[in-house]
Amino acid sequence: MSVIATNDWLRTSYHQPIEICRKLTKYFSGVSVTDIQQHLITHGMYHRPYEKSDWLVKNLEEKNVWTVIQQEEKLLRNKWKGPDIPIFILPADPFNRQLKREHNGKSGLAFRDKLFLFLSAGHDEQEIRALFTHEYNHVCRLANDEKDEADYTLIDTIILEGLAEYAVYKRFGKSYTAPWTSYYSTNQLERKWKKIILPNRQLPQSHPKHQTILYGLHLYPRMLGYCIGYYLVNQYMLSTDLPFVDVLKLPSQQIAQINESL
């Protein structure tokens, strides 16, 4: 199925985002169109028009974004033995300050069976490839994990994020990794891992502190869970000769090198 022609959707429905989401209902089982829209907005999709639709679609088409992502999907699906899933490219929310600060104004959302990219006109091709790499790595990790994502604990979530950003680093180098990968020194990461993440590693997604720690909200350090996940994956990759595609199948505790007797 791969890349869906959402450029056609945007030409006719850009000024009515709810209509875009209505076209997505067949890809979500038992979920209302308003719930779909709210979930996508929470993860970076635009919620009101901010540019002329013709200009935005033309800009993305001139960059061959849909073709670029189709090529990347084919390459990574072969490389990581990943699934063939529908991919949706939609505008990002330009008013989301955290999106601009932490992700340079772009984002994505991955499920086991579908993937979304939220883009604006300001990204170069390598940035877009890097974003897709991160999100499709999530898809491959989820597809290789017997555990349902709804049952993920904090350690599962941060390893999921760490693997995805490590994939970006290996493909494109440090300059295309997210800004948060440089927030803390190795010594700081080691201390935060032992003091904050490790004692809370079994927090379920339903627990309020799960997201608070993951994103570094309130009194927690910024993007803490993401940063620690990236650190742990890097540490593991330095300690193993396993190919990255095989690491995608390993339990989170093994990648984090946790001694469960703690």
Side-chain angles (χ1 to χ4, degrees):
M1 187 174 287
S2 299
V3 181
I4 305 300
T6 50
N7 48 336
D8 294 337
W9 298 3
L10 291 167
R11 288 195 194 92
T12 59
S13 304
Y14 172 77
H15 291 279
Q16 295 177 296
I18 191 68
E19 294 305 317
I20 296 284
C21 294
R22 202 176 305 281
K23 297 176 187 293
L24 295 169
T25 53
K26 68 179 182 179
Y27 299 98
F28 291 86
S29 177
V31 183
S32 72
V33 63
T34 52
D35 284 345
I36 291 171
Q37 183 180 32
Q38 188 54 51
H39 190 61
L40 298 185
I41 288 171
T42 299
H43 286 84
M45 190 186 84
Y46 81 114
H47 59 280
R48 63 180 187 269
Y50 58 96
E51 293 171 303
K52 293 181 179 179
S53 59
D54 289 345
W55 181 86
L56 177 63
V57 175
K58 183 179 178 181
N59 181 278
L60 294 175
E61 287 182 327
E62 285 175 350
K63 293 179 179 178
N64 297 311
V65 169
W66 282 264
T67 301
V68 166
I69 296 304
Q70 187 71 69
Q71 292 170 347
E72 286 291 285
E73 187 274 342
K74 183 178 179 181
L75 185 155
L76 292 179
R77 181 151 51 95
N78 291 332
K79 184 182 181 70
W80 293 334
K81 302 177 176 61
D84 182 8
I85 56 163
I87 299 162
F88 306 92
I89 301 168
L90 295 168
D93 179 5
F95 307 106
N96 187 322
R97 293 181 180 179
Q98 184 180 9
L99 202 65
K100 290 183 178 180
R101 183 176 65 247
E102 311 292 2
H103 304 287
N104 196 28
K106 62 188 183 303
S107 69
L109 177 61
F111 297 83
R112 196 183 297 260
D113 61 351
K114 52 189 166 284
L115 185 157
F116 292 84
L117 299 178
F118 305 121
L119 304 173
S120 65
H123 311 303
D124 65 38
E125 184 175 307
Q126 289 294 80
E127 277 187 281
I128 294 168
R129 290 179 187 271
L131 175 62
F132 179 75
T133 297
H134 182 106
E135 297 302 330
Y136 189 68
N137 188 266
H138 283 341
V139 173
C140 294
R141 172 67 170 172
L142 294 170
N144 279 289
D145 196 343
E146 293 181 358
K147 182 184 288 190
D148 192 286
E149 190 179 1
D151 297 325
Y152 267 31
T153 61
L154 182 61
I155 192 64
D156 296 316
T157 305
I158 70 170
I159 292 298
L160 179 75
E161 295 298 342
L163 287 166
E165 202 60 20
Y166 181 84
V168 172
Y169 169 70
K170 292 303 290 184
R171 290 197 71 207
F172 302 102
K174 182 64 178 173
S175 61
Y176 281 95
T177 58
W180 48 262
T181 59
S182 300
Y183 281 180
Y184 309 108
S185 69
T186 299
N187 287 339
Q188 288 175 317
L189 290 166
E190 182 66 20
R191 289 197 300 271
K192 295 176 194 301
W193 158 238
K194 291 178 178 177
K195 182 178 180 180
I196 303 173
I197 301 292
L198 192 57
N200 290 288
R201 65 188 183 280
Q202 298 298 347
L203 283 177
Q205 285 194 358
S206 58
H207 196 289
K209 280 179 65 176
H210 181 284
Q211 296 298 90
T212 302
I213 294 174
L214 178 65
Y215 290 103
L217 306 177
H218 307 314
L219 298 178
Y220 288 105
R222 283 172 60 191
M223 299 298 285
L224 177 61
Y226 280 73
C227 298
I228 297 296
Y230 183 64
Y231 163 73
L232 292 174
V233 171
N234 271 279
Q235 293 296 107
Y236 184 77
M237 295 307 297
L238 289 171
S239 71
T240 184
D241 294 326
L242 281 176
F244 185 61
V245 67
D246 292 338
V247 176
L248 288 175
K249 303 174 184 178
L250 298 180
S252 301
Q253 289 80 0
Q254 183 175 338
I255 296 172
Q257 301 182 76
I258 293 173
N259 180 351
E260 284 299 348
S261 65
L262 289 174

mmCIF file of all heavy atoms in Angstrom, residues 62-102:
data_model
loop_
_atom_site.group_PDB
_atom_site.id
_atom_site.type_symbol
_atom_site.label_atom_id
_atom_site.label_comp_id
_atom_site.label_asym_id
_atom_site.label_seq_id
_atom_site.Cartn_x
_atom_site.Cartn_y
_atom_site.Cartn_z
ATOM 1 N N GLU A 62 6.991 19.940 -5.397
ATOM 2 C CA GLU A 62 8.227 20.349 -6.069
ATOM 3 C C GLU A 62 9.447 19.691 -5.427
ATOM 4 O O GLU A 62 10.459 19.462 -6.094
ATOM 5 C CB GLU A 62 8.368 21.874 -6.028
ATOM 6 C CG GLU A 62 7.445 22.595 -7.001
ATOM 7 C CD GLU A 62 7.521 24.110 -6.867
ATOM 8 O OE1 GLU A 62 8.155 24.594 -5.895
ATOM 9 O OE2 GLU A 62 6.955 24.812 -7.724
ATOM 10 N N LYS A 63 9.345 19.398 -4.151
ATOM 11 C CA LYS A 63 10.418 18.671 -3.463
ATOM 12 C C LYS A 63 10.303 17.163 -3.660
ATOM 13 O O LYS A 63 11.124 16.410 -3.125
ATOM 14 C CB LYS A 63 10.371 18.982 -1.964
ATOM 15 C CG LYS A 63 10.705 20.421 -1.608
ATOM 16 C CD LYS A 63 10.605 20.617 -0.106
ATOM 17 C CE LYS A 63 10.954 22.045 0.280
ATOM 18 N NZ LYS A 63 10.820 22.258 1.726
ATOM 19 N N ASN A 64 9.279 16.746 -4.392
ATOM 20 C CA ASN A 64 9.056 15.307 -4.651
ATOM 21 C C ASN A 64 8.923 14.510 -3.354
ATOM 22 O O ASN A 64 9.397 13.372 -3.253
ATOM 23 C CB ASN A 64 10.192 14.725 -5.498
ATOM 24 C CG ASN A 64 10.282 15.357 -6.872
ATOM 25 O OD1 ASN A 64 9.277 15.470 -7.575
ATOM 26 N ND2 ASN A 64 11.470 15.789 -7.248
ATOM 27 N N VAL A 65 8.271 15.116 -2.345
ATOM 28 C CA VAL A 65 8.201 14.494 -1.026
ATOM 29 C C VAL A 65 7.548 13.122 -1.085
ATOM 30 O O VAL A 65 8.049 12.156 -0.478
ATOM 31 C CB VAL A 65 7.464 15.414 -0.036
ATOM 32 C CG1 VAL A 65 7.147 14.667 1.258
ATOM 33 C CG2 VAL A 65 8.319 16.638 0.278
ATOM 34 N N TRP A 66 6.454 12.992 -1.809
ATOM 35 C CA TRP A 66 5.760 11.706 -1.862
ATOM 36 C C TRP A 66 6.633 10.644 -2.538
ATOM 37 O O TRP A 66 6.678 9.503 -2.097
ATOM 38 C CB TRP A 66 4.428 11.856 -2.581
ATOM 39 C CG TRP A 66 3.365 12.473 -1.716
ATOM 40 C CD1 TRP A 66 2.421 11.818 -0.986
ATOM 41 C CD2 TRP A 66 3.159 13.873 -1.460
ATOM 42 N NE1 TRP A 66 1.639 12.712 -0.290
ATOM 43 C CE2 TRP A 66 2.060 13.985 -0.561
ATOM 44 C CE3 TRP A 66 3.774 15.046 -1.905
ATOM 45 C CZ2 TRP A 66 1.582 15.215 -0.100
ATOM 46 C CZ3 TRP A 66 3.295 16.266 -1.447
ATOM 47 C CH2 TRP A 66 2.225 16.335 -0.553
ATOM 48 N N THR A 67 7.365 11.057 -3.572
ATOM 49 C CA THR A 67 8.274 10.127 -4.256
ATOM 50 C C THR A 67 9.466 9.769 -3.379
ATOM 51 O O THR A 67 9.880 8.609 -3.307
ATOM 52 C CB THR A 67 8.780 10.750 -5.578
ATOM 53 O OG1 THR A 67 7.651 11.040 -6.415
ATOM 54 C CG2 THR A 67 9.714 9.794 -6.303
ATOM 55 N N VAL A 68 10.029 10.766 -2.705
ATOM 56 C CA VAL A 68 11.170 10.539 -1.813
ATOM 57 C C VAL A 68 10.804 9.529 -0.726
ATOM 58 O O VAL A 68 11.559 8.587 -0.455
ATOM 59 C CB VAL A 68 11.646 11.863 -1.182
ATOM 60 C CG1 VAL A 68 12.598 11.607 -0.010
ATOM 61 C CG2 VAL A 68 12.321 12.741 -2.224
ATOM 62 N N ILE A 69 9.656 9.713 -0.127
ATOM 63 C CA ILE A 69 9.238 8.804 0.946
ATOM 64 C C ILE A 69 8.950 7.412 0.398
ATOM 65 O O ILE A 69 9.263 6.404 1.056
ATOM 66 C CB ILE A 69 8.019 9.367 1.697
ATOM 67 C CG1 ILE A 69 8.390 10.674 2.401
ATOM 68 C CG2 ILE A 69 7.482 8.346 2.710
ATOM 69 C CD1 ILE A 69 9.564 10.557 3.355
ATOM 70 N N GLN A 70 8.403 7.331 -0.799
ATOM 71 C CA GLN A 70 8.179 6.010 -1.405
ATOM 72 C C GLN A 70 9.509 5.283 -1.612
ATOM 73 O O GLN A 70 9.621 4.075 -1.345
ATOM 74 C CB GLN A 70 7.464 6.160 -2.745
ATOM 75 C CG GLN A 70 7.031 4.842 -3.374
ATOM 76 C CD GLN A 70 5.872 4.201 -2.630
ATOM 77 O OE1 GLN A 70 4.763 4.695 -2.639
ATOM 78 N NE2 GLN A 70 6.132 3.089 -1.948
ATOM 79 N N GLN A 71 10.523 6.015 -2.050
ATOM 80 C CA GLN A 71 11.851 5.421 -2.241
ATOM 81 C C GLN A 71 12.453 4.982 -0.904
ATOM 82 O O GLN A 71 13.043 3.892 -0.797
ATOM 83 C CB GLN A 71 12.774 6.432 -2.919
ATOM 84 C CG GLN A 71 12.388 6.754 -4.356
ATOM 85 C CD GLN A 71 13.162 7.937 -4.910
ATOM 86 O OE1 GLN A 71 13.820 8.685 -4.180
ATOM 87 N NE2 GLN A 71 13.094 8.127 -6.222
ATOM 88 N N GLU A 72 12.317 5.827 0.104
ATOM 89 C CA GLU A 72 12.848 5.501 1.425
ATOM 90 C C GLU A 72 12.148 4.281 2.022
ATOM 91 O O GLU A 72 12.785 3.428 2.649
ATOM 92 C CB GLU A 72 12.687 6.701 2.369
ATOM 93 C CG GLU A 72 13.648 7.832 2.088
ATOM 94 C CD GLU A 72 15.074 7.440 2.424
ATOM 95 O OE1 GLU A 72 15.417 7.378 3.615
ATOM 96 O OE2 GLU A 72 15.843 7.184 1.488
ATOM 97 N N GLU A 73 10.851 4.218 1.831
ATOM 98 C CA GLU A 73 10.087 3.084 2.361
ATOM 99 C C GLU A 73 10.578 1.777 1.746
ATOM 100 O O GLU A 73 10.778 0.780 2.460
ATOM 101 C CB GLU A 73 8.594 3.280 2.078
ATOM 102 C CG GLU A 73 7.680 2.253 2.723
ATOM 103 C CD GLU A 73 7.506 0.994 1.892
ATOM 104 O OE1 GLU A 73 7.803 1.023 0.683
ATOM 105 O OE2 GLU A 73 7.064 -0.027 2.448
ATOM 106 N N LYS A 74 10.797 1.788 0.461
ATOM 107 C CA LYS A 74 11.273 0.572 -0.210
ATOM 108 C C LYS A 74 12.651 0.174 0.296
ATOM 109 O O LYS A 74 12.917 -1.001 0.587
ATOM 110 C CB LYS A 74 11.309 0.793 -1.723
ATOM 111 C CG LYS A 74 11.735 -0.444 -2.514
ATOM 112 C CD LYS A 74 11.702 -0.169 -4.009
ATOM 113 C CE LYS A 74 12.146 -1.413 -4.791
ATOM 114 N NZ LYS A 74 12.135 -1.155 -6.264
ATOM 115 N N LEU A 75 13.535 1.160 0.436
ATOM 116 C CA LEU A 75 14.902 0.897 0.888
ATOM 117 C C LEU A 75 14.904 0.320 2.312
ATOM 118 O O LEU A 75 15.541 -0.709 2.583
ATOM 119 C CB LEU A 75 15.707 2.191 0.829
ATOM 120 C CG LEU A 75 17.204 2.144 1.138
ATOM 121 C CD1 LEU A 75 17.914 3.296 0.451
ATOM 122 C CD2 LEU A 75 17.499 2.200 2.641
ATOM 123 N N LEU A 76 14.185 0.984 3.227
ATOM 124 C CA LEU A 76 14.220 0.565 4.623
ATOM 125 C C LEU A 76 13.410 -0.702 4.865
ATOM 126 O O LEU A 76 13.750 -1.485 5.755
ATOM 127 C CB LEU A 76 13.719 1.700 5.519
ATOM 128 C CG LEU A 76 14.639 2.925 5.589
ATOM 129 C CD1 LEU A 76 14.032 4.000 6.486
ATOM 130 C CD2 LEU A 76 16.027 2.546 6.090
ATOM 131 N N ARG A 77 12.366 -0.906 4.098
ATOM 132 C CA ARG A 77 11.598 -2.145 4.247
ATOM 133 C C ARG A 77 12.482 -3.344 3.918
ATOM 134 O O ARG A 77 12.412 -4.384 4.572
ATOM 135 C CB ARG A 77 10.366 -2.113 3.336
ATOM 136 C CG ARG A 77 9.497 -3.359 3.437
ATOM 137 C CD ARG A 77 8.039 -3.058 3.136
ATOM 138 N NE ARG A 77 7.842 -2.343 1.903
ATOM 139 C CZ ARG A 77 7.564 -2.920 0.713
ATOM 140 N NH1 ARG A 77 7.465 -4.235 0.619
ATOM 141 N NH2 ARG A 77 7.371 -2.193 -0.358
ATOM 142 N N ASN A 78 13.326 -3.206 2.902
ATOM 143 C CA ASN A 78 14.268 -4.280 2.565
ATOM 144 C C ASN A 78 15.379 -4.395 3.605
ATOM 145 O O ASN A 78 15.757 -5.493 4.013
ATOM 146 C CB ASN A 78 14.873 -4.036 1.177
ATOM 147 C CG ASN A 78 13.862 -4.205 0.062
ATOM 148 O OD1 ASN A 78 12.899 -4.954 0.197
ATOM 149 N ND2 ASN A 78 14.051 -3.507 -1.041
ATOM 150 N N LYS A 79 15.876 -3.261 4.046
ATOM 151 C CA LYS A 79 17.012 -3.234 4.979
ATOM 152 C C LYS A 79 16.648 -3.819 6.335
ATOM 153 O O LYS A 79 17.429 -4.564 6.941
ATOM 154 C CB LYS A 79 17.481 -1.772 5.139
ATOM 155 C CG LYS A 79 18.711 -1.560 6.011
ATOM 156 C CD LYS A 79 19.018 -0.072 6.103
ATOM 157 C CE LYS A 79 20.250 0.212 6.935
ATOM 158 N NZ LYS A 79 21.496 -0.220 6.289
ATOM 159 N N TRP A 80 15.458 -3.466 6.812
ATOM 160 C CA TRP A 80 15.042 -3.871 8.156
ATOM 161 C C TRP A 80 13.988 -4.981 8.150
ATOM 162 O O TRP A 80 13.464 -5.336 9.192
ATOM 163 C CB TRP A 80 14.498 -2.665 8.925
ATOM 164 C CG TRP A 80 15.525 -1.625 9.233
ATOM 165 C CD1 TRP A 80 16.868 -1.808 9.375
ATOM 166 C CD2 TRP A 80 15.289 -0.227 9.471
ATOM 167 N NE1 TRP A 80 17.487 -0.617 9.677
ATOM 168 C CE2 TRP A 80 16.544 0.374 9.749
ATOM 169 C CE3 TRP A 80 14.148 0.579 9.478
ATOM 170 C CZ2 TRP A 80 16.679 1.737 10.024
ATOM 171 C CZ3 TRP A 80 14.270 1.926 9.752
ATOM 172 C CH2 TRP A 80 15.526 2.504 10.026
ATOM 173 N N LYS A 81 13.687 -5.489 6.955
ATOM 174 C CA LYS A 81 12.661 -6.544 6.833
ATOM 175 C C LYS A 81 11.347 -6.089 7.465
ATOM 176 O O LYS A 81 10.694 -6.825 8.224
ATOM 177 C CB LYS A 81 13.152 -7.850 7.468
ATOM 178 C CG LYS A 81 14.444 -8.372 6.850
ATOM 179 C CD LYS A 81 14.937 -9.625 7.556
ATOM 180 C CE LYS A 81 16.169 -10.204 6.888
ATOM 181 N NZ LYS A 81 17.325 -9.294 6.875
ATOM 182 N N GLY A 82 10.973 -4.865 7.120
ATOM 183 C CA GLY A 82 9.792 -4.259 7.728
ATOM 184 C C GLY A 82 8.512 -4.518 6.970
ATOM 185 O O GLY A 82 8.518 -5.051 5.854
ATOM 186 N N PRO A 83 7.380 -4.128 7.548
ATOM 187 C CA PRO A 83 6.082 -4.346 6.918
ATOM 188 C C PRO A 83 5.739 -3.285 5.871
ATOM 189 O O PRO A 83 6.268 -2.171 5.906
ATOM 190 C CB PRO A 83 5.113 -4.264 8.105
ATOM 191 C CG PRO A 83 5.783 -3.326 9.053
ATOM 192 C CD PRO A 83 7.256 -3.573 8.909
ATOM 193 N N ASP A 84 4.857 -3.654 4.959
ATOM 194 C CA ASP A 84 4.316 -2.728 3.971
ATOM 195 C C ASP A 84 3.065 -2.104 4.574
ATOM 196 O O ASP A 84 2.067 -2.784 4.787
ATOM 197 C CB ASP A 84 3.983 -3.488 2.683
ATOM 198 C CG ASP A 84 3.464 -2.566 1.588
ATOM 199 O OD1 ASP A 84 3.510 -1.341 1.766
ATOM 200 O OD2 ASP A 84 2.996 -3.089 0.558
ATOM 201 N N ILE A 85 3.111 -0.810 4.852
ATOM 202 C CA ILE A 85 2.022 -0.135 5.553
ATOM 203 C C ILE A 85 1.620 1.136 4.802
ATOM 204 O O ILE A 85 2.399 1.672 4.005
ATOM 205 C CB ILE A 85 2.458 0.252 6.982
ATOM 206 C CG1 ILE A 85 3.727 1.105 6.913
ATOM 207 C CG2 ILE A 85 2.661 -0.973 7.849
ATOM 208 C CD1 ILE A 85 4.039 1.874 8.152
ATOM 209 N N PRO A 86 0.424 1.670 5.049
ATOM 210 C CA PRO A 86 0.057 2.973 4.484
ATOM 211 C C PRO A 86 0.798 4.107 5.184
ATOM 212 O O PRO A 86 0.962 4.090 6.410
ATOM 213 C CB PRO A 86 -1.448 3.055 4.727
ATOM 214 C CG PRO A 86 -1.705 2.142 5.871
ATOM 215 C CD PRO A 86 -0.695 1.040 5.764
ATOM 216 N N ILE A 87 1.251 5.074 4.391
ATOM 217 C CA ILE A 87 2.005 6.218 4.899
ATOM 218 C C ILE A 87 1.279 7.494 4.474
ATOM 219 O O ILE A 87 0.957 7.660 3.296
ATOM 220 C CB ILE A 87 3.443 6.214 4.337
ATOM 221 C CG1 ILE A 87 4.173 4.936 4.791
ATOM 222 C CG2 ILE A 87 4.203 7.465 4.776
ATOM 223 C CD1 ILE A 87 5.406 4.622 3.975
ATOM 224 N N PHE A 88 1.050 8.378 5.432
ATOM 225 C CA PHE A 88 0.286 9.598 5.186
ATOM 226 C C PHE A 88 1.158 10.824 5.445
ATOM 227 O O PHE A 88 1.745 10.948 6.521
ATOM 228 C CB PHE A 88 -0.948 9.640 6.090
ATOM 229 C CG PHE A 88 -1.814 8.415 5.995
ATOM 230 C CD1 PHE A 88 -1.614 7.339 6.864
ATOM 231 C CD2 PHE A 88 -2.812 8.322 5.039
ATOM 232 C CE1 PHE A 88 -2.409 6.210 6.777
ATOM 233 C CE2 PHE A 88 -3.613 7.191 4.939
ATOM 234 C CZ PHE A 88 -3.407 6.137 5.810
ATOM 235 N N ILE A 89 1.240 11.712 4.476
ATOM 236 C CA ILE A 89 2.013 12.950 4.602
ATOM 237 C C ILE A 89 1.036 14.113 4.688
ATOM 238 O O ILE A 89 0.238 14.342 3.767
ATOM 239 C CB ILE A 89 2.958 13.130 3.398
ATOM 240 C CG1 ILE A 89 3.930 11.951 3.301
ATOM 241 C CG2 ILE A 89 3.715 14.453 3.511
ATOM 242 C CD1 ILE A 89 4.700 11.894 2.000
ATOM 243 N N LEU A 90 1.103 14.852 5.806
ATOM 244 C CA LEU A 90 0.161 15.940 6.060
ATOM 245 C C LEU A 90 0.912 17.141 6.642
ATOM 246 O O LEU A 90 2.037 17.006 7.122
ATOM 247 C CB LEU A 90 -0.918 15.471 7.045
ATOM 248 C CG LEU A 90 -1.849 14.352 6.530
ATOM 249 C CD1 LEU A 90 -2.665 13.767 7.674
ATOM 250 C CD2 LEU A 90 -2.757 14.871 5.424
ATOM 251 N N PRO A 91 0.304 18.332 6.614
ATOM 252 C CA PRO A 91 0.979 19.521 7.145
ATOM 253 C C PRO A 91 1.165 19.464 8.660
ATOM 254 O O PRO A 91 0.330 18.927 9.392
ATOM 255 C CB PRO A 91 0.034 20.664 6.759
ATOM 256 C CG PRO A 91 -0.783 20.135 5.632
ATOM 257 C CD PRO A 91 -0.955 18.670 5.915
ATOM 258 N N ALA A 92 2.262 20.035 9.110
ATOM 259 C CA ALA A 92 2.540 20.159 10.547
ATOM 260 C C ALA A 92 1.896 21.423 11.096
ATOM 261 O O ALA A 92 1.514 22.335 10.350
ATOM 262 C CB ALA A 92 4.044 20.182 10.788
ATOM 263 N N ASP A 93 1.783 21.480 12.404
ATOM 264 C CA ASP A 93 1.207 22.630 13.090
ATOM 265 C C ASP A 93 2.280 23.700 13.294
ATOM 266 O O ASP A 93 3.203 23.501 14.088
ATOM 267 C CB ASP A 93 0.639 22.182 14.442
ATOM 268 C CG ASP A 93 0.034 23.325 15.239
ATOM 269 O OD1 ASP A 93 -0.046 24.453 14.719
ATOM 270 O OD2 ASP A 93 -0.371 23.082 16.394
ATOM 271 N N PRO A 94 2.174 24.854 12.620
ATOM 272 C CA PRO A 94 3.214 25.887 12.742
ATOM 273 C C PRO A 94 3.141 26.656 14.049
ATOM 274 O O PRO A 94 4.049 27.427 14.374
ATOM 275 C CB PRO A 94 2.914 26.807 11.562
ATOM 276 C CG PRO A 94 1.435 26.710 11.407
ATOM 277 C CD PRO A 94 1.087 25.275 11.724
ATOM 278 N N PHE A 95 2.071 26.464 14.813
ATOM 279 C CA PHE A 95 1.891 27.205 16.057
ATOM 280 C C PHE A 95 2.340 26.409 17.278
ATOM 281 O O PHE A 95 2.247 26.892 18.405
ATOM 282 C CB PHE A 95 0.416 27.601 16.209
ATOM 283 C CG PHE A 95 -0.125 28.335 15.011
ATOM 284 C CD1 PHE A 95 -0.991 27.698 14.132
ATOM 285 C CD2 PHE A 95 0.252 29.635 14.744
ATOM 286 C CE1 PHE A 95 -1.488 28.357 13.017
ATOM 287 C CE2 PHE A 95 -0.237 30.309 13.630
ATOM 288 C CZ PHE A 95 -1.109 29.666 12.771
ATOM 289 N N ASN A 96 2.816 25.207 17.059
ATOM 290 C CA ASN A 96 3.253 24.334 18.152
ATOM 291 C C ASN A 96 4.702 24.663 18.507
ATOM 292 O O ASN A 96 5.637 24.285 17.799
ATOM 293 C CB ASN A 96 3.109 22.870 17.734
ATOM 294 C CG ASN A 96 3.370 21.904 18.864
ATOM 295 O OD1 ASN A 96 4.256 22.113 19.690
ATOM 296 N ND2 ASN A 96 2.610 20.821 18.897
ATOM 297 N N ARG A 97 4.897 25.363 19.612
ATOM 298 C CA ARG A 97 6.240 25.833 19.983
ATOM 299 C C ARG A 97 7.174 24.685 20.336
ATOM 300 O O ARG A 97 8.360 24.712 20.000
ATOM 301 C CB ARG A 97 6.139 26.809 21.161
ATOM 302 C CG ARG A 97 5.436 28.115 20.811
ATOM 303 C CD ARG A 97 5.381 29.051 22.004
ATOM 304 N NE ARG A 97 4.717 30.306 21.668
ATOM 305 C CZ ARG A 97 4.509 31.294 22.535
ATOM 306 N NH1 ARG A 97 4.926 31.161 23.795
ATOM 307 N NH2 ARG A 97 3.897 32.392 22.155
ATOM 308 N N GLN A 98 6.646 23.681 21.031
ATOM 309 C CA GLN A 98 7.492 22.546 21.389
ATOM 310 C C GLN A 98 7.952 21.805 20.144
ATOM 311 O O GLN A 98 9.104 21.342 20.071
ATOM 312 C CB GLN A 98 6.766 21.577 22.321
ATOM 313 C CG GLN A 98 7.665 20.430 22.779
ATOM 314 C CD GLN A 98 6.964 19.448 23.699
ATOM 315 O OE1 GLN A 98 5.748 19.520 23.882
ATOM 316 N NE2 GLN A 98 7.719 18.539 24.280
ATOM 317 N N LEU A 99 7.077 21.704 19.156
ATOM 318 C CA LEU A 99 7.424 21.054 17.894
ATOM 319 C C LEU A 99 8.591 21.785 17.235
ATOM 320 O O LEU A 99 9.522 21.157 16.715
ATOM 321 C CB LEU A 99 6.203 21.045 16.969
ATOM 322 C CG LEU A 99 6.183 20.008 15.854
ATOM 323 C CD1 LEU A 99 6.112 18.606 16.417
ATOM 324 C CD2 LEU A 99 4.994 20.270 14.931
ATOM 325 N N LYS A 100 8.554 23.086 17.248
ATOM 326 C CA LYS A 100 9.641 23.885 16.655
ATOM 327 C C LYS A 100 10.927 23.724 17.445
ATOM 328 O O LYS A 100 12.016 23.581 16.874
ATOM 329 C CB LYS A 100 9.240 25.363 16.595
ATOM 330 C CG LYS A 100 8.154 25.680 15.576
ATOM 331 C CD LYS A 100 7.875 27.180 15.542
ATOM 332 C CE LYS A 100 6.821 27.516 14.492
ATOM 333 N NZ LYS A 100 6.542 28.974 14.438
ATOM 334 N N ARG A 101 10.811 23.751 18.771
ATOM 335 C CA ARG A 101 11.997 23.728 19.627
ATOM 336 C C ARG A 101 12.682 22.368 19.628
ATOM 337 O O ARG A 101 13.902 22.283 19.507
ATOM 338 C CB ARG A 101 11.601 24.115 21.060
ATOM 339 C CG ARG A 101 12.780 24.183 22.022
ATOM 340 C CD ARG A 101 12.350 24.658 23.394
ATOM 341 N NE ARG A 101 11.458 23.713 24.054
ATOM 342 C CZ ARG A 101 10.180 23.949 24.327
ATOM 343 N NH1 ARG A 101 9.638 25.104 24.002
ATOM 344 N NH2 ARG A 101 9.437 23.039 24.932
ATOM 345 N N GLU A 102 11.905 21.301 19.755
ATOM 346 C CA GLU A 102 12.489 19.969 19.919
ATOM 347 C C GLU A 102 12.652 19.208 18.605
ATOM 348 O O GLU A 102 13.510 18.330 18.509
ATOM 349 C CB GLU A 102 11.632 19.125 20.873
ATOM 350 C CG GLU A 102 11.263 19.799 22.188
ATOM 351 C CD GLU A 102 12.448 20.010 23.109
ATOM 352 O OE1 GLU A 102 13.580 19.668 22.727
ATOM 353 O OE2 GLU A 102 12.245 20.541 24.226
#
